Structures are given as C-alpha cells and as structure tokens.
Amino acid sequence: MKFGLLYELEYAKPWYEGWEARIFHQALEQIAFADQKGFDYVWVVEHHFLTEYSHSSAPEVFLGAVSQRTERIRIGHGVVLLPPAYNNPIRVAERIATLDILSNGRVEFGTGRSGTPAELEGFGISPAETKAMWDEAVRIIPRMWMEDPFCYQGRYFSMPPRSIWPKPVQKPHPPMWVAAATPRTFIEAGERGLGVLCFIIGQPAELPSRIQPYREAIKRAQPVGAFVNEQVAGFTVTLCLDDDAEAQRVGGPAALWYTAMLSSLLGEWRGKQIPGYEYYGELTRAAREQSTAHMTSLIENGTFCIGSPETCIRIIEKYRQAGVDQLICFMQAARIPHEKILRSIELFGDRVIPYFKREI
C-alpha cells in the first residue's frame, strides 16, 4: 500500500496578518519532510474562490517549488480542472511537461471538472457541459505529448497543426487520474483506463461497492492515454500523534470543520437540477451527517484516521481491505498547527508506513 499527502492550502478564520504566505511556506517544509520520511505521493488541489476552504488556485506554480525541494516523492496535480475556461488544454500539456522535467519524471496528472457552483459560475462555465468538456480534454492532452505536430477540431477546443513543447520526461507520458465523487465516475474512470482519486470522505466499508465496478470496467478499458493506470486512491482527514487523546483534541475539531465546510459548499447545489451533478445532493447529506457525528464513532468506522500510530494502522487496514491502493492523508486541515503536522508526518514515516511496507 502507498501513502500520499493532500494539500488544499486552507486556513480557518480568524486570520492574522501574513497567514496566507505562512501556510504556503509551511506546506513546502512539510512536503520536503514527507519526502524524507517515505511518503510516496503529494497531491495539490486546484480550487478558486473558496474562502478558508482552499487557497490553492495555482498548483502548477506551487508544485514547481515542491519539485526543487524533494527528490523521490511523486508530485500529483489533484486535480487540474479541464473545462477550457479554467485551463486551455495546450497550456495544461505545456505545464505538466515542464513540471515533469523539473521533477525528473515524478509527475502524476490528475484531472477533473470542478464541483462547486461558486467556481463554475465564476468562470462562466455551464455545469451541464463540464463532463463533455473534461472528456474531450482528457483524450487530447496525452496526444499533445505524443504527436508532433498536433492538430484537432472538436466541440469545445480546436487548433491548427502545431508543435507543442516541451515533452514530458516520462514516456510516453505521466500517469493519468480522475477525481471521482460519484459511483458512475468510478466506472467511467475504468472504461478510460484512468486511476481514481476518491476525494470524498466516507467509511471504508462503502468503498468496495465502488471499487469492484471500477476493476470490472478497467478490464474492458479503451485508454484515453497510451496505457492503463489501474490504481484507486482513498482519502481521509488524518492526524497521527503520540496518543489518541492528543490526536483527537487537535485533529477532531479540524476534521469536523472540514466536513462542515464541504457540506456548505456542496449545499450550493440544493434545489438545482443539473445533469451530471445529481449525486451531489447525496454528498451534501453525507457531509452534513459527518460534521455533526460523534468523533469516536467517526474514527472507529474509519471515516477519519486520527489517533496514535497503532490506531492509525488499525484504521488504514480497513482501507486496504476495501481495495484501496493508496491512502491520501489530509493533515493540513482547518487550523492544525504546523508542528503537529510535522509530528504526524514523522510518526507516519517511522511507525505507520513501515508496517504496511512490511506487510506487502
């Protein structure tokens, strides 16, 4: 089993002068430390306008800094938003290839379409068309890396024959993923040969009903890229400290704040009947229930991975048994102090990750 970190670059109010720059630089320090402690991946989101929840609107710039502070950790866009009003496909291909060069071939290319009305409406994007926009872009970007010259005439994007530079270090191109919030997206990921980034919080017991259809779909995959990336990454708010009481005291309020914010953001879909976003009402309900549930029960059922190293190992075992290949740990939640995040990374590297590496 592999392990990753996720960064939203978020910070709950109240704010203080200079907080935003501080969390950016703290995150860079945390990631460099995680590289030393044996984490396999770091994922950084792309979000816009989401006050407190995420201030990571230019992950390609941030990850460029990460590439120069690390040596072995895989560098993941989690994810690049592919509707062209967010990111022109040519610019995506150019930026991913540049980052792959700077990182000496460590890029993971995560894709998505966006999940909040605030972002979509802010960029003037029709929610009903985002799935088709994503599907078109995810098919042509790998071609831009492999074809020279490349030309295309499509529904949302067209270009005359041009040479697109640079090309990625990884041949034929970096591994490709998609963020999956709905059961249907798991199947669509498999059919396209994409890895799954399951960026929703829920019980590990719920995952097999999504992962098994993904495994079946990938058997009949017609890859959008040059190869199949059969991996499932699960995700949860994580904090590993020296004992359960301290971890719950520090991490518990942050986890509940995060799910409350998620419920509020997804709640913007309430009353809107948008093709492709029907399932978001269910996600809103689940997030609302999590934000009001008792922390002990949320840890016991594996919703959150918060506790001592022994407790975290027990929780992660649930994810492994569910079929997850990689656990993405979100430690930079709400207002968790920098020194606590560093300690959590240290304990993971010293006691949690080695347990699962030995088991393999």
Side-chain angles (χ1 to χ4, degrees), residues 309-353:
E310 293 74 21
T311 296
C312 289
I313 287 170
R314 178 166 49 84
I315 294 166
I316 294 167
E317 187 64 42
K318 298 177 186 290
Y319 284 88
R320 184 171 65 168
Q321 292 177 3
V324 168
D325 302 300
Q326 176 191 161
L327 183 66
I328 299 176
C329 304
F330 181 40
M331 299 186 187
Q332 192 259 324
R335 297 176 65 93
I336 294 179
H338 175 54
E339 64 274 11
K340 298 297 184 183
I341 298 173
L342 289 175
R343 180 57 176 161
S344 181
I345 292 170
E346 182 177 30
L347 287 170
F348 249 74
D350 290 345
R351 297 170 61 180
V352 177
I353 294 175

Side-chain angles (χ1 to χ4, degrees), residues 203-223:
Q203 301 177 33
E206 300 168 349
L207 288 172
S209 64
R210 301 179 183 220
I211 293 174
Q212 186 57 39
Y214 167 76
R215 304 289 188 200
E216 292 298 321
I218 213 158
K219 293 176 183 177
R220 58 178 186 271
Q222 296 182 345

Side-chain angles (χ1 to χ4, degrees), residues 68-127:
Q68 301 306 291
R69 288 166 169 81
T70 57
E71 295 181 357
R72 47 161 299 280
I73 198 168
R74 301 287 298 178
I75 295 175
H77 277 267
V79 301
V80 182
L81 303 179
L82 291 188
Y86 286 127
N87 293 294
N88 182 292
I90 300 171
R91 299 293 289 124
V92 174
E94 293 169 339
R95 294 197 308 252
I96 294 291
T98 300
L99 183 59
D100 204 45
I101 290 170
L102 292 175
S103 65
N104 294 313
R106 290 185 282 138
V107 170
E108 302 282 324
F109 177 38
T111 69
R113 60 191 177 113
S114 194
T116 70
E119 294 172 280
L120 292 165
E121 293 169 2
F123 278 83
I125 298 168
S126 168

Side-chain angles (χ1 to χ4, degrees), residues 31-48:
I31 294 166
F33 188 47
D35 182 44
Q36 299 170 15
K37 300 305 290 187
F39 278 81
D40 303 288
Y41 296 81
V42 59
W43 298 93
V44 179
V45 306
E46 178 187 346
H47 279 308
H48 305 274

